[in-house]
Amino acid sequence: MVDIIHRIGIKAPLSKVYAALSQPEGVAGWWTKETRGESKLGGAVQVLFRNPSGAEIGKMGFELSKLSPDKEVHWHFTSGPAEWIGTDVTFSLAQDGDYTLVLFGHRNWREAVEFTAHCSMKWATFLLSLRELVETGKGKPAPDDLKIDTWN
Amino acid sequence: MVDIIHRIGIKAPLSKVYAALSQPEGVAGWWTKETRGESKLGGAVQVLFRNPSGAEIGKMGFELSKLSPDKEVHWHFTSGPAEWIGTDVTFSLAQDGDYTLVLFGHRNWREAVEFTAHCSMKWATFLLSLRELVETGKGKPAPDDLKIDTWN
């Protein structure tokens, strides 16, 4: 199995970062504006991505498979691109002085393909968007996300 | 073995991207200003990182282990952090319309540790710096690099 992993520090309390990862309204502020769903363990969340012209370019569904307040949030993908189904996104939080450290994982890819490399780069930019949201109140969720290559 | 992989698109000809990866003066424009060395196959390159206050925070050495003009550049690390020694950074270039697509790899880590996650995130921001350098003439090499967590 192949994992994408990243680490970012956010100058904010654990609880603010946890809210941005565990609640659909939070996720809508940094990943994609069109995020709908529940915020309870086992709850389903749907996300939809559009390009700046409004055309749909992708959608996925995940369940909140682990919610440990101020510590851990896991998303288990049940629909979306074939490569994503069955994968898990994990956020592990830890406090370090004024910072919340986020250890991010997009885990259990069946293989490392070019799309994995695209997603790794794209996740890094979305984690910068998460930091902006939590530190300043305004992130860059799709369709206002940073474009990184010819795919998105 | 564990690999970090990223994909980025740069609106520029292959030759401009290749120069920024294969020549020390190019690397100095997006990774770290203090880059010195050769630009021939098997040549040695040294890089040194400082924080914005001028204190040294790390240095590494690599050899140019593959140079295939406008196609491929490989760096084999021979000194630096213990986790980096013996690893390889690979850049594979391909043209797609007006874009040069860069498939980046930092390959052959012995294991995925928290420092790997830090480096993955940091490489993503340096690839954005590479894109800025090639597209606009000005990147964000260290010590002007984007800080991403409590380590750097």
Side-chain angles (χ1 to χ4, degrees), chain A residues 6 9 131 147-149, chain B residues 7 9 120 131 147-149:
Chain A
H6 292 307
R131 178 167 76 173
K147 306 307 173 191
I148 54 132
D149 61 21
Chain B
R7 184 182 195 266
S120 178
R131 179 167 76 174
K147 306 306 173 192
I148 54 132
D149 60 20

Side-chain angles (χ1 to χ4, degrees), chain A residues 4 8 22 41 58 60 66 82 102 106 125 128 151:
Chain A
I4 295 165
I8 192 164
S22 57
L41 187 65
M60 301 99 163
K66 185 168 188 180
V102 180
H106 185 179
T125 65
L128 294 174
W151 287 341

Side-chain angles (χ1 to χ4, degrees), chain B residues 20-67:
Chain B
L21 302 172
S22 57
Q23 297 171 1
E25 313 79 58
V27 175
W30 65 271
W31 196 30
T32 176
K33 287 182 181 174
E34 295 190 53
T35 302
R36 308 263 179 282
E38 303 170 286
S39 54
K40 64 176 188 195
L41 186 65
V45 179
Q46 293 80 37
V47 292
L48 190 149
F49 292 80
R50 296 187 192 275
N51 66 21
S53 314
E56 182 180 319
I57 52 173
K59 59 182 173 181
M60 300 97 163
F62 61 85
E63 63 169 52
L64 294 162
S65 51
K66 186 169 186 178
L67 288 177

Side-chain angles (χ1 to χ4, degrees), chain A residues 2-152:
Chain A
V2 171
D3 296 345
I4 295 165
I5 55 173
H6 292 307
R7 184 181 195 265
I8 192 164
I10 300 176
K11 202 169 181 180
L14 288 162
S15 58
K16 274 190 79 171
V17 179
Y18 182 77
L21 301 172
S22 57
Q23 297 172 1
E25 312 80 59
V27 175
W30 64 271
W31 197 29
T32 176
K33 287 183 181 173
E34 294 190 54
T35 301
R36 311 262 179 282
E38 303 171 287
S39 53
K40 65 176 188 194
L41 187 65
V45 179
Q46 293 81 39
V47 292
L48 190 149
F49 292 80
R50 295 187 195 275
N51 67 21
S53 314
E56 183 181 319
I57 52 173
K59 60 182 175 180
M60 301 99 163
F62 61 85
E63 64 170 52
L64 294 162
S65 51
K66 185 168 188 180
L67 289 175
S68 178
D70 299 353
K71 283 191 194 139
E72 198 95 24
V73 177
H74 292 194
W75 302 346
H76 181 71
F77 281 85
T78 53
S79 67
E83 295 90 338
W84 280 45
I85 296 174
T87 63
D88 298 274
V89 162
T90 64
F91 302 93
S92 304
L93 312 184
Q95 196 177 338
D96 183 2
D98 291 342
Y99 286 82
T100 293
L101 293 176
V102 180
L103 197 57
F104 166 90
H106 185 179
R107 303 178 188 276
N108 305 318
W109 286 68
R110 282 185 296 277
E111 51 179 342
V113 292
E114 201 159 338
F115 183 52
T116 320
H118 167 83
C119 292
S120 178
M121 184 73 203
K122 197 80 196 177
W123 275 124
T125 65
F126 279 123
L127 291 171
L128 294 174
S129 168
L130 168 67
R131 178 167 76 173
E132 274 188 70
L133 171 71
V134 174
E135 291 187 354
T136 73
K138 192 164 163 46
K140 287 198 184 73
D144 304 328
D145 52 322
L146 185 70
K147 306 307 173 191
I148 54 132
D149 61 21
T150 47
W151 287 341
N152 180 27

Side-chain angles (χ1 to χ4, degrees), chain B residues 91-103:
Chain B
F91 302 92
S92 304
L93 311 185
Q95 196 177 339
D96 183 2
D98 291 342
Y99 286 83
T100 292
L101 293 175
V102 181
L103 198 57

